[in-house]
Amino acid sequence: MARRLLFLISELEHTGPVHQLALLARLLPHDRFDVRVFTLGGETSVARLLQRHGVAVESLGWRRALDLGALRRLRNIVRDEPPEIVHVWGLRPLRWLHLVGGKRATIVASALVTRGRRRSRFNIADRWLLRGVHRVVARTESEKARYLKMGLSADRVSVILPGVELPALRDNANDVLQRLGLPASARMIACAGRLEAHKGYRDAIWTLDILRFVYPDLQLVLLGTGPYEGALRWFANITGSFRAVHFLGNRDDVTEIFQAADVVWIPDHLDGGVMTALEAMAAGRPLIATRLGCAEEIVRDGESGVLVPTGDKPALARQTRILLDERTRAQQMGQAGRVRVAAHFSATAMIERFAGLYESCR
């Protein structure tokens, strides 16, 4: 009999943890798991994608700091159709789960510290809540080390490497450029993720301004939304790069855009960008990322991508110029990244590891 598994997350936005959740919800074996997804927020394109794949998704429509109506709906879900396992993605859903009496289920937790929060330890209330969590899942060893520094014991934290699906390779650059309204002669750099200060997109715009002295047809596309978008648009205007910086918002064709890009940038200032790196590698594109713990575990420097110091705009420009000028090297790097994903970061391997974790829950 399939085990009842509930995923609980604040928002189904286009973020790394959400992409991982979506893969699990779609690909976990249906004969072993009855998966439902509940989000505190409203409906999104990710929710609609899951629904098209037959995954039960319910949006609780949380509208304020303490939404009693949404809490009642969550309480009814947990009480009337009690799940055996609840996988919470973030501290906020963990707090609300305990508030409505959901602690009777076995709880697995991921993404407890996200979006660049600089926290040295969990607060007293969260440490008390975490005592009831069966297992905390980290995506990399460096993320696990971060949890240990914040006070979790090693026997409570498991590392399950993230995974992505390998898309079919297509030579679709001209179609994508036309779809995005870019010139057919344009060369494109892509960034993807929430538009927040710690993601390093200001550095990306600055570096683009440097490179356009050599490559006047170079374009930068930013995939995602977030609170920093206004500041980034202002910065693009004052640098004079506003015509070459394109804010595309959340899109469902990220893979196609990556395949059409000459280079993918991940200029994060804090540890992150894991899923973006994997998706770029799976798409067979060369990438340049900042040298942070997670990136060093995902990317083999000089082989499947290039790592540069955090905030080092001249280094980012220099390495980008090498990849733009040496197409054979760029192609080889993209191919090596794709091979590395297939060998170490496949969606199939990730699914089986999570399935084993869920089945170990009693």
PDB file of all heavy atoms in Angstrom, residues 15-35:
ATOM      1  N   THR A  15      12.500  28.476  -7.547  1.00  0.00           N
ATOM      2  CA  THR A  15      13.733  28.436  -6.757  1.00  0.00           C
ATOM      3  C   THR A  15      14.286  27.018  -6.790  1.00  0.00           C
ATOM      4  O   THR A  15      13.591  26.066  -7.185  1.00  0.00           O
ATOM      5  CB  THR A  15      13.470  28.835  -5.297  1.00  0.00           C
ATOM      6  OG1 THR A  15      12.562  27.882  -4.710  1.00  0.00           O
ATOM      7  CG2 THR A  15      12.851  30.231  -5.200  1.00  0.00           C
ATOM      8  N   GLY A  16      15.540  26.867  -6.345  1.00  0.00           N
ATOM      9  CA  GLY A  16      16.159  25.555  -6.337  1.00  0.00           C
ATOM     10  C   GLY A  16      15.377  24.513  -5.544  1.00  0.00           C
ATOM     11  O   GLY A  16      15.091  23.411  -6.047  1.00  0.00           O
ATOM     12  N   PRO A  17      15.021  24.807  -4.278  1.00  0.00           N
ATOM     13  CA  PRO A  17      14.242  23.830  -3.515  1.00  0.00           C
ATOM     14  C   PRO A  17      12.917  23.473  -4.172  1.00  0.00           C
ATOM     15  O   PRO A  17      12.489  22.312  -4.126  1.00  0.00           O
ATOM     16  CB  PRO A  17      14.032  24.541  -2.168  1.00  0.00           C
ATOM     17  CG  PRO A  17      15.203  25.453  -2.032  1.00  0.00           C
ATOM     18  CD  PRO A  17      15.464  25.939  -3.432  1.00  0.00           C
ATOM     19  N   VAL A  18      12.257  24.438  -4.799  1.00  0.00           N
ATOM     20  CA  VAL A  18      10.981  24.153  -5.460  1.00  0.00           C
ATOM     21  C   VAL A  18      11.180  23.226  -6.649  1.00  0.00           C
ATOM     22  O   VAL A  18      10.393  22.297  -6.889  1.00  0.00           O
ATOM     23  CB  VAL A  18      10.287  25.460  -5.895  1.00  0.00           C
ATOM     24  CG1 VAL A  18       9.107  25.175  -6.826  1.00  0.00           C
ATOM     25  CG2 VAL A  18       9.811  26.229  -4.671  1.00  0.00           C
ATOM     26  N   HIS A  19      12.254  23.435  -7.416  1.00  0.00           N
ATOM     27  CA  HIS A  19      12.529  22.545  -8.537  1.00  0.00           C
ATOM     28  C   HIS A  19      12.783  21.125  -8.041  1.00  0.00           C
ATOM     29  O   HIS A  19      12.343  20.150  -8.669  1.00  0.00           O
ATOM     30  CB  HIS A  19      13.744  23.058  -9.314  1.00  0.00           C
ATOM     31  CG  HIS A  19      13.482  24.318 -10.063  1.00  0.00           C
ATOM     32  ND1 HIS A  19      14.458  25.007 -10.742  1.00  0.00           N
ATOM     33  CD2 HIS A  19      12.349  25.035 -10.238  1.00  0.00           C
ATOM     34  CE1 HIS A  19      13.942  26.084 -11.304  1.00  0.00           C
ATOM     35  NE2 HIS A  19      12.662  26.124 -10.997  1.00  0.00           N
ATOM     36  N   GLN A  20      13.490  20.995  -6.921  1.00  0.00           N
ATOM     37  CA  GLN A  20      13.744  19.672  -6.364  1.00  0.00           C
ATOM     38  C   GLN A  20      12.437  19.029  -5.896  1.00  0.00           C
ATOM     39  O   GLN A  20      12.174  17.851  -6.165  1.00  0.00           O
ATOM     40  CB  GLN A  20      14.735  19.787  -5.195  1.00  0.00           C
ATOM     41  CG  GLN A  20      15.287  18.456  -4.725  1.00  0.00           C
ATOM     42  CD  GLN A  20      16.346  18.634  -3.657  1.00  0.00           C
ATOM     43  OE1 GLN A  20      16.247  19.504  -2.799  1.00  0.00           O
ATOM     44  NE2 GLN A  20      17.366  17.801  -3.700  1.00  0.00           N
ATOM     45  N   LEU A  21      11.599  19.805  -5.200  1.00  0.00           N
ATOM     46  CA  LEU A  21      10.298  19.305  -4.765  1.00  0.00           C
ATOM     47  C   LEU A  21       9.465  18.852  -5.958  1.00  0.00           C
ATOM     48  O   LEU A  21       8.820  17.787  -5.921  1.00  0.00           O
ATOM     49  CB  LEU A  21       9.564  20.395  -3.984  1.00  0.00           C
ATOM     50  CG  LEU A  21       8.152  20.114  -3.469  1.00  0.00           C
ATOM     51  CD1 LEU A  21       7.847  20.973  -2.246  1.00  0.00           C
ATOM     52  CD2 LEU A  21       7.075  20.377  -4.533  1.00  0.00           C
ATOM     53  N   ALA A  22       9.446  19.645  -7.031  1.00  0.00           N
ATOM     54  CA  ALA A  22       8.630  19.315  -8.194  1.00  0.00           C
ATOM     55  C   ALA A  22       9.070  18.006  -8.835  1.00  0.00           C
ATOM     56  O   ALA A  22       8.243  17.188  -9.255  1.00  0.00           O
ATOM     57  CB  ALA A  22       8.679  20.459  -9.202  1.00  0.00           C
ATOM     58  N   LEU A  23      10.378  17.788  -8.904  1.00  0.00           N
ATOM     59  CA  LEU A  23      10.877  16.526  -9.450  1.00  0.00           C
ATOM     60  C   LEU A  23      10.429  15.344  -8.598  1.00  0.00           C
ATOM     61  O   LEU A  23       9.966  14.319  -9.117  1.00  0.00           O
ATOM     62  CB  LEU A  23      12.405  16.559  -9.533  1.00  0.00           C
ATOM     63  CG  LEU A  23      13.044  17.136 -10.791  1.00  0.00           C
ATOM     64  CD1 LEU A  23      14.552  17.144 -10.645  1.00  0.00           C
ATOM     65  CD2 LEU A  23      12.642  16.336 -12.023  1.00  0.00           C
ATOM     66  N   LEU A  24      10.553  15.485  -7.287  1.00  0.00           N
ATOM     67  CA  LEU A  24      10.138  14.412  -6.390  1.00  0.00           C
ATOM     68  C   LEU A  24       8.644  14.132  -6.523  1.00  0.00           C
ATOM     69  O   LEU A  24       8.219  12.979  -6.612  1.00  0.00           O
ATOM     70  CB  LEU A  24      10.471  14.775  -4.942  1.00  0.00           C
ATOM     71  CG  LEU A  24      11.941  14.711  -4.536  1.00  0.00           C
ATOM     72  CD1 LEU A  24      12.138  15.338  -3.166  1.00  0.00           C
ATOM     73  CD2 LEU A  24      12.438  13.265  -4.530  1.00  0.00           C
ATOM     74  N   ALA A  25       7.848  15.184  -6.527  1.00  0.00           N
ATOM     75  CA  ALA A  25       6.400  15.010  -6.595  1.00  0.00           C
ATOM     76  C   ALA A  25       5.983  14.318  -7.893  1.00  0.00           C
ATOM     77  O   ALA A  25       5.047  13.518  -7.907  1.00  0.00           O
ATOM     78  CB  ALA A  25       5.706  16.363  -6.461  1.00  0.00           C
ATOM     79  N   ARG A  26       6.678  14.615  -8.983  1.00  0.00           N
ATOM     80  CA  ARG A  26       6.324  14.026 -10.271  1.00  0.00           C
ATOM     81  C   ARG A  26       6.835  12.603 -10.425  1.00  0.00           C
ATOM     82  O   ARG A  26       6.156  11.756 -11.012  1.00  0.00           O
ATOM     83  CB  ARG A  26       6.884  14.874 -11.419  1.00  0.00           C
ATOM     84  CG  ARG A  26       6.177  16.167 -11.669  1.00  0.00           C
ATOM     85  CD  ARG A  26       6.513  16.726 -13.039  1.00  0.00           C
ATOM     86  NE  ARG A  26       7.915  17.082 -13.205  1.00  0.00           N
ATOM     87  CZ  ARG A  26       8.758  16.446 -13.998  1.00  0.00           C
ATOM     88  NH1 ARG A  26       8.368  15.394 -14.692  1.00  0.00           N
ATOM     89  NH2 ARG A  26      10.016  16.856 -14.108  1.00  0.00           N
ATOM     90  N   LEU A  27       8.045  12.324  -9.916  1.00  0.00           N
ATOM     91  CA  LEU A  27       8.732  11.099 -10.297  1.00  0.00           C
ATOM     92  C   LEU A  27       8.794  10.022  -9.220  1.00  0.00           C
ATOM     93  O   LEU A  27       9.190   8.891  -9.515  1.00  0.00           O
ATOM     94  CB  LEU A  27      10.166  11.431 -10.749  1.00  0.00           C
ATOM     95  CG  LEU A  27      10.269  12.395 -11.947  1.00  0.00           C
ATOM     96  CD1 LEU A  27      11.731  12.651 -12.287  1.00  0.00           C
ATOM     97  CD2 LEU A  27       9.523  11.865 -13.152  1.00  0.00           C
ATOM     98  N   LEU A  28       8.419  10.330  -7.969  1.00  0.00           N
ATOM     99  CA  LEU A  28       8.382   9.268  -6.968  1.00  0.00           C
ATOM    100  C   LEU A  28       7.399   8.179  -7.422  1.00  0.00           C
ATOM    101  O   LEU A  28       6.327   8.492  -7.955  1.00  0.00           O
ATOM    102  CB  LEU A  28       7.950   9.828  -5.607  1.00  0.00           C
ATOM    103  CG  LEU A  28       9.034  10.495  -4.763  1.00  0.00           C
ATOM    104  CD1 LEU A  28       8.402  11.269  -3.607  1.00  0.00           C
ATOM    105  CD2 LEU A  28      10.038   9.475  -4.229  1.00  0.00           C
ATOM    106  N   PRO A  29       7.733   6.913  -7.225  1.00  0.00           N
ATOM    107  CA  PRO A  29       6.855   5.830  -7.709  1.00  0.00           C
ATOM    108  C   PRO A  29       5.465   5.913  -7.081  1.00  0.00           C
ATOM    109  O   PRO A  29       5.326   5.942  -5.854  1.00  0.00           O
ATOM    110  CB  PRO A  29       7.594   4.554  -7.252  1.00  0.00           C
ATOM    111  CG  PRO A  29       9.014   4.970  -7.055  1.00  0.00           C
ATOM    112  CD  PRO A  29       8.969   6.399  -6.603  1.00  0.00           C
ATOM    113  N   HIS A  30       4.439   5.949  -7.924  1.00  0.00           N
ATOM    114  CA  HIS A  30       3.068   6.107  -7.434  1.00  0.00           C
ATOM    115  C   HIS A  30       2.577   4.870  -6.700  1.00  0.00           C
ATOM    116  O   HIS A  30       1.642   4.967  -5.894  1.00  0.00           O
ATOM    117  CB  HIS A  30       2.127   6.450  -8.597  1.00  0.00           C
ATOM    118  CG  HIS A  30       2.393   7.792  -9.200  1.00  0.00           C
ATOM    119  ND1 HIS A  30       1.765   8.944  -8.780  1.00  0.00           N
ATOM    120  CD2 HIS A  30       3.257   8.179 -10.174  1.00  0.00           C
ATOM    121  CE1 HIS A  30       2.208   9.983  -9.482  1.00  0.00           C
ATOM    122  NE2 HIS A  30       3.118   9.540 -10.325  1.00  0.00           N
ATOM    123  N   ASP A  31       3.168   3.716  -6.982  1.00  0.00           N
ATOM    124  CA  ASP A  31       2.747   2.515  -6.265  1.00  0.00           C
ATOM    125  C   ASP A  31       3.338   2.440  -4.864  1.00  0.00           C
ATOM    126  O   ASP A  31       2.899   1.625  -4.046  1.00  0.00           O
ATOM    127  CB  ASP A  31       3.135   1.260  -7.058  1.00  0.00           C
ATOM    128  CG  ASP A  31       4.643   1.172  -7.284  1.00  0.00           C
ATOM    129  OD1 ASP A  31       5.311   2.226  -7.320  1.00  0.00           O
ATOM    130  OD2 ASP A  31       5.157   0.041  -7.419  1.00  0.00           O
ATOM    131  N   ARG A  32       4.318   3.307  -4.580  1.00  0.00           N
ATOM    132  CA  ARG A  32       4.947   3.310  -3.256  1.00  0.00           C
ATOM    133  C   ARG A  32       4.566   4.537  -2.439  1.00  0.00           C
ATOM    134  O   ARG A  32       4.624   4.510  -1.210  1.00  0.00           O
ATOM    135  CB  ARG A  32       6.477   3.234  -3.407  1.00  0.00           C
ATOM    136  CG  ARG A  32       6.946   1.913  -4.005  1.00  0.00           C
ATOM    137  CD  ARG A  32       8.321   2.020  -4.643  1.00  0.00           C
ATOM    138  NE  ARG A  32       9.381   2.311  -3.691  1.00  0.00           N
ATOM    139  CZ  ARG A  32      10.646   2.548  -4.056  1.00  0.00           C
ATOM    140  NH1 ARG A  32      10.985   2.552  -5.340  1.00  0.00           N
ATOM    141  NH2 ARG A  32      11.560   2.807  -3.135  1.00  0.00           N
ATOM    142  N   PHE A  33       4.185   5.645  -3.117  1.00  0.00           N
ATOM    143  CA  PHE A  33       3.906   6.895  -2.409  1.00  0.00           C
ATOM    144  C   PHE A  33       2.685   7.587  -3.001  1.00  0.00           C
ATOM    145  O   PHE A  33       2.559   7.725  -4.220  1.00  0.00           O
ATOM    146  CB  PHE A  33       5.105   7.844  -2.474  1.00  0.00           C
ATOM    147  CG  PHE A  33       6.362   7.268  -1.897  1.00  0.00           C
ATOM    148  CD1 PHE A  33       7.332   6.704  -2.722  1.00  0.00           C
ATOM    149  CD2 PHE A  33       6.570   7.264  -0.521  1.00  0.00           C
ATOM    150  CE1 PHE A  33       8.485   6.159  -2.190  1.00  0.00           C
ATOM    151  CE2 PHE A  33       7.719   6.718   0.018  1.00  0.00           C
ATOM    152  CZ  PHE A  33       8.678   6.153  -0.812  1.00  0.00           C
ATOM    153  N   ASP A  34       1.805   8.009  -2.126  1.00  0.00           N
ATOM    154  CA  ASP A  34       0.666   8.855  -2.490  1.00  0.00           C
ATOM    155  C   ASP A  34       1.043  10.288  -2.118  1.00  0.00           C
ATOM    156  O   ASP A  34       0.995  10.682  -0.953  1.00  0.00           O
ATOM    157  CB  ASP A  34      -0.586   8.405  -1.735  1.00  0.00           C
ATOM    158  CG  ASP A  34      -1.775   9.320  -1.992  1.00  0.00           C
ATOM    159  OD1 ASP A  34      -1.729  10.087  -2.972  1.00  0.00           O
ATOM    160  OD2 ASP A  34      -2.734   9.279  -1.199  1.00  0.00           O
ATOM    161  N   VAL A  35       1.462  11.069  -3.130  1.00  0.00           N
ATOM    162  CA  VAL A  35       2.066  12.385  -2.898  1.00  0.00           C
ATOM    163  C   VAL A  35       1.022  13.482  -3.050  1.00  0.00           C
ATOM    164  O   VAL A  35       0.264  13.523  -4.023  1.00  0.00           O
ATOM    165  CB  VAL A  35       3.227  12.636  -3.878  1.00  0.00           C
ATOM    166  CG1 VAL A  35       3.845  14.011  -3.635  1.00  0.00           C
ATOM    167  CG2 VAL A  35       4.288  11.551  -3.741  1.00  0.00           C
TER     168      VAL A  35
END
